[in-house]
Amino acid sequence: MSARAIMGTSAVAAPFWEATKNKKLLLQWCARCERPIHYPREFCPHCLSTELSWRESAGHGTVYAVSVMHKPGNPMMAVRVPYAVVLVDLDDGVRLLSNVAGCKPEDVRVGMKVRVAWEELPEGRHLPVFEPAV
């Protein structure tokens, strides 16, 4: 499977991934109900509107849940064990699944304030990960 297929660069998600080339975190927003949406979709999951736009997020949030992986769920992550998999509630109002870098995995805690950081990917893109907010 290609890196493109793994990273899910569908036509709907293309603006999200294109913005990562400049280390910008974009979220979809619904014009009808003014709610943020993540992951990228063709319609709003709240009101079913197709009137969607993109807005830049500051990338600040709070760890909602954490699991430290000592055995990788994906063989591609074997070189990283142990690592922290987190659900982050962004201040914008969406929850993202990601990783926390910049600290020991066992130091990541529910309620920890985090900010977006970037991991380089193929084709000039970057993967949004999180680091402790200081």
Side-chain angles (χ1 to χ4, degrees):
M1 186 175 295
S2 72
R4 178 175 217 125
I6 291 170
M7 296 314 300
T9 50
S10 66
V12 173
F16 174 88
W17 289 110
E18 189 62 30
T20 71
K21 290 180 179 179
N22 297 313
K23 298 181 180 178
K24 291 184 179 182
L25 181 60
L26 293 187
L27 299 175
Q28 277 184 313
W29 282 77
C30 177
R32 183 183 298 160
C33 69
E34 272 299 308
R35 292 174 77 175
I37 301 163
H38 186 79
Y39 55 90
R41 304 172 198 199
E42 293 182 4
F43 59 89
C44 175
H46 309 291
C47 72
L48 304 179
S49 173
T50 57
E51 299 172 50
L52 307 178
S53 62
W54 293 92
R55 296 183 194 169
E56 187 172 356
S57 169
H60 296 262
T62 305
V63 174
Y64 174 81
V66 61
S67 182
V68 176
M69 307 300 288
H70 295 278
K71 182 177 179 183
N74 178 326
M76 292 172 48
M77 297 293 284
V79 297
R80 295 182 179 209
V81 292
Y83 58 92
V85 176
V86 293
L87 289 173
V88 172
D89 285 343
L90 287 182
D91 294 349
D92 302 279
V94 297
R95 183 172 289 159
L96 278 73
L97 176 67
S98 189
N99 298 106
V100 171
C103 69
K104 294 178 184 177
E106 60 269 17
D107 291 342
V108 179
R109 299 278 182 257
V110 170
M112 177 183 215
K113 297 294 183 186
V114 292
R115 65 177 177 225
V116 73
W118 300 96
E119 184 177 305
E120 194 170 339
L121 293 172
E123 301 175 17
R125 296 177 298 159
H126 294 84
L127 182 67
V129 296
F130 290 85
E131 63 186 12
V134 189

